[in-house]
Amino acid sequence: MMKELAMATFVAGGVCAADATGTSLTLTQEWDKVFPKSDRVKHSKVTFRNRFGITLAADVYKPKAGSGKFAAIAVSGPFGAVKEQSSGLYAQTLAERGFLTIAFDPSYTGESGGTPRYVASPDINTEDFQAAVDYLISRDDVDADKIGILGICGWGGLALNAAAVDTRVKATVASTMYDMTRVTANGYFDKEDSAAARKAKKNAMNAQRIKDFKSGTYELGGGVPDKLPDDAPQFVKDYYAYYKTPRGYHARSLNSNGGWNKTSALSFINAKLLAYAGEIENAVMVLHGEKAHSRYFGEDAFKMLKGENKELVIVPGASHCDLYDGGGKGAIPFDRIEAFYRKHLK
């Protein structure tokens, strides 16, 4: 049996839960986010299961002001991050503005369940968003007709995929988004978009499968490097400035530490997340920084969308990671995001 299957506890301290595989989870209760706690919001920890039987861990942020049934938003991302980082900041800020929100850890990561650890799936991770919608609708303090989702970085593409399949989602924001299937199959800026290049990737990952099977564990690919090479591109420097410094470092974040397991990308090569983006009828905002290396993902995704309830917002001067936490210059246009949700969650 793979060593990861024997893992019983992922994090120390707090509330316990278990998923359908029998894996026990222990949720931290102390405030361990990379952003300050708001005194205008009630915070709590919850768990809920997705359709694959995996238990997801989430932070609930509920406005202290107001009562009755709230419009609600589920938030996740960036790809390889945890809810204590960017998604939690978005969730808490939107709760300060009157929405009930959750920030959740995707399957196999953070405080959520699932083995092996540190693997991603276009199918299961889309389901994670849908399970978050299930949870929100089940709450007595949520208006089931006013549900939104928000995905950051790679979770922006997954949010669009969830919006394409889940008609309960009335409004979606994709912030500084990646299309993870495109970048995995084609490389950055589609420079590896050839059968030969994809075959080389598949050969490497399938060889890794044998190595992992024989060793009984899963080799990690590495997160953001501990030491930047002299020739690191600017976007890697931006990732370093977030994930490897006190600004955004978190002990449970894949990107801050050992990264995904090396075979995690296999399923993304053969999938196309945005295949049915043009059929999304409900409202969508695609949000990107002007200087983001990932901007082409968002702009190309936006071209697929149809209808008058779609918005493309380009933030002047902002890089990809500036939209993780504002980049110290207030780059996240929360007023614009709030106005979008208020317009479409009513």
Side-chain angles (χ1 to χ4, degrees):
M1 179 179 289
M2 303 295 271
K3 292 178 183 177
E4 271 78 1
L5 297 182
M7 290 180 65
T9 303
F10 304 140
V11 183
V15 175
C16 293
D19 69 12
T21 66
T23 305
S24 63
L25 314 180
T26 307
L27 309 185
T28 56
Q29 292 303 298
E30 70 272 12
W31 185 264
D32 61 347
K33 323 302 182 195
V34 301
F35 52 89
K37 186 175 184 179
S38 172
D39 60 4
R40 295 158 53 192
V41 172
K42 298 176 184 176
H43 166 260
S44 60
K45 301 287 279 280
V46 299
T47 61
F48 51 90
R49 287 186 183 177
N50 69 16
R51 189 168 54 88
F52 294 96
I54 299 168
T55 298
L56 304 183
D59 288 296
V60 177
Y61 298 92
K62 183 176 180 179
K64 288 184 177 179
S67 60
K69 292 183 178 291
F70 292 87
I73 303 165
V75 188
S76 198
F79 198 76
V82 288
K83 64 188 181 304
E84 288 74 23
Q85 296 173 306
S86 182
S87 62
L89 173 64
Y90 273 76
Q92 179 175 261
T93 304
L94 289 170
E96 289 178 323
R97 292 165 178 257
F99 302 94
L100 187 148
T101 65
I102 60 171
F104 64 89
D105 284 330
S107 295
Y108 310 111
T109 67
E111 292 184 309
S112 288
T115 54
R117 303 304 291 165
Y118 315 132
V119 65
S121 160
D123 185 13
I124 295 174
N125 293 147
T126 298
E127 162 63 20
D128 288 343
F129 257 130
Q130 294 194 263
V133 173
D134 293 339
Y135 168 74
L136 288 173
I137 289 175
S138 74
R139 290 182 60 109
D140 292 337
D141 53 2
V142 167
D143 188 329
D145 293 322
K146 299 179 180 179
I147 302 294
I149 59 176
L150 190 154
I152 306 160
C153 184
W155 277 80
L158 287 159
L160 293 180
N161 199 45
V165 72
D166 198 328
T167 55
R168 302 170 300 173
V169 175
K170 298 300 187 291
T172 302
V173 172
S175 179
T176 197
M177 70 160 279
Y178 266 51
D179 176 347
M180 291 306 302
T181 53
R182 179 178 176 181
V183 74
T184 302
N186 300 350
Y188 282 105
F189 309 106
D190 301 323
K191 290 182 178 179
E192 300 168 4
D193 185 11
S194 71
R198 279 185 285 276
K199 184 178 180 181
K201 294 177 186 180
K202 294 173 190 176
N203 282 343
M205 282 187 277
N206 285 307
Q208 185 66 45
R209 287 179 68 109
I210 298 299
K211 184 177 179 181
D212 289 348
F213 187 85
K214 289 179 176 179
S215 70
T217 189
Y218 295 89
E219 189 172 333
L220 299 181
V224 177
D226 291 329
K227 180 176 174 56
L228 282 173
D230 294 337
D231 60 349
Q234 184 58 48
F235 75 91
V236 174
K237 295 178 181 178
D238 291 342
Y239 282 134
Y240 183 93
Y242 182 78
Y243 286 109
K244 287 294 188 176
T245 72
R247 171 185 165 192
Y249 177 86
H250 197 279
R252 289 191 294 274
S253 169
L254 282 70
N255 293 339
S256 290
N257 298 283
W260 299 97
N261 74 47
K262 286 186 174 180
T263 60
S264 188
L266 264 171
S267 58
F268 285 86
I269 290 181
N270 278 4
K272 287 190 179 295
L273 280 178
L274 305 182
Y276 295 103
E279 296 183 7
I280 301 173
E281 296 182 1
N282 288 317
V284 174
M285 172 186 284
V286 176
L287 174 65
H288 252 294
E290 177 190 18
K291 297 182 178 180
H293 68 283
S294 54
R295 178 176 168 179
Y296 71 103
F297 292 124
E299 291 182 326
D300 286 355
F302 185 76
K303 292 173 186 175
M304 301 177 191
L305 303 176
K306 299 174 183 177
E308 298 301 316
N309 56 355
K310 312 299 191 290
E311 299 181 32
L312 175 65
V313 179
I314 303 299
V315 181
S319 70
H320 179 83
C321 291
D322 284 341
L323 296 188
Y324 283 8
D325 63 351
K329 50 191 176 186
I332 303 172
F334 279 116
D335 288 345
R336 189 78 178 266
I337 296 170
E338 177 188 354
F340 170 80
Y341 280 125
R342 292 208 176 281
K343 179 179 179 180
H344 298 290
L345 299 182
K346 64 180 182 181

